[in-house]
Amino acid sequence: MSSHVSTAVHAYLRSAAGPDARRAGPFLIRFDEHDDAGPFNYAVPDDGASPTAGEVAALVAAFRERSRTPRLEYVPQASPGVEAALLAAGFVPEGRYPLLVCAPGSVVDAPASPDVRVRLVADDPGLWAVARVMNEAFGAPEATGHDVARLRRVLDGGGLVAAAVQDGKVVGGGQLGRPHEGVAEVAGIAVSAAYRRRGIAGAITALLTREAAGAGVTMPFLTPADDAAARVYARTGYTRVGEALHISLP
């Protein structure tokens, strides 16, 4: 992977931490005061960081103060000196995920079943429906106003939210995060269990990636959770350029 891609993705992850991010030594931490789920609470190291044991301890303390599990999501190629320091402190890798990118002009149409309509949404009823599908698909608690507010912040920051509609109801959803210097993450691709294997995830991904150019994004990226998801994204034009590491302290 080129150093440009890894540093661009890192810059995006730090931007996504938002204005309330907290710094602990060479780490920038994203905290969600309303939700203790791992994907909303993680640190990103500075590029090229080589943290000391004391700096890792300060990072852990910052998470513990908020009753959060200490964890990081980052691109090892951008900070090759970090993993050894984390492992020495007892951190355990949750997973190493392929980092995929796709230029918006290279996206491949991935049509779903003919009776499925995929569209962008911005109204509150649409955001509520997408939040419900996402939480259901990822085994999270029932959606709340905080989940909807999180999607609204994505839109307010220039990102996108998509919904797949079948039988008159929203059965899938996904988002393109708030762009930062032409980079944004395609994430939260979710399909209700009863509607899977109908091409819906691919259609949502293709729509968000195609529309990314209009949102000022030249490098949409994603990190599939498993091989099956990776195959879906490959069919829409995504190619692997590296890996992302999720690592936490049990």
Side-chain angles (χ1 to χ4, degrees), residues 6-241:
S6 60
T7 56
V9 170
H10 257 201
Y12 171 82
L13 293 174
R14 285 191 287 268
S15 172
D20 297 326
R22 172 171 175 179
R23 177 159 286 279
F27 303 98
L28 190 68
I29 313 172
R30 170 183 177 172
F31 287 119
D32 188 320
E33 62 178 297
H34 302 284
D35 194 332
D36 63 1
F40 305 120
N41 299 271
Y42 60 86
V44 182
D46 292 342
D47 296 348
S50 294
T52 65
E55 288 171 332
V56 174
L59 173 71
V60 171
F63 277 87
R64 299 296 194 209
E65 287 170 6
R66 290 166 174 77
S67 300
R68 299 291 190 262
T69 298
R71 65 187 302 277
L72 294 88
E73 296 185 6
Y74 74 105
V75 182
Q77 291 90 335
S79 306
V82 170
E83 185 175 357
L86 297 175
L87 294 175
F91 279 72
V92 176
E94 298 174 358
R96 299 178 189 276
Y97 304 103
L99 176 63
L100 311 181
V101 301
C102 177
S106 301
V107 65
V108 178
D109 280 331
S113 301
D115 54 345
V116 176
R117 183 166 57 95
V118 181
R119 60 184 177 87
L120 298 179
V121 296
D123 60 295
D124 282 346
L127 296 181
W128 267 104
V130 169
R132 291 188 184 103
V133 168
M134 285 181 172
N135 285 26
E136 173 202 334
F138 294 115
E142 186 173 346
T144 68
H146 177 65
D147 297 296
V148 176
R150 186 186 292 126
L151 292 176
R152 176 60 64 189
R153 286 194 296 274
V154 168
L155 294 175
D156 290 344
L160 304 171
V161 177
V165 180
Q166 185 173 10
D167 301 332
K169 65 179 180 179
V170 172
V171 299
Q175 69 180 56
L176 176 80
R178 293 174 292 175
H180 176 72
E181 297 181 351
V183 181
E185 182 178 15
V186 175
I189 304 298
V191 180
S192 296
Y195 292 86
R196 292 173 185 167
R197 299 187 180 277
R198 302 186 189 186
I200 295 174
I204 294 170
T205 303
L207 174 68
L208 289 169
T209 306
R210 188 183 309 107
E211 296 295 330
V217 175
T218 56
M219 187 195 297
F221 76 93
L222 46 76
T223 52
D226 53 47
D227 291 340
R231 288 192 292 271
V232 169
Y233 303 136
R235 288 195 292 270
T236 62
Y238 279 83
T239 58
R240 178 170 179 155
V241 295

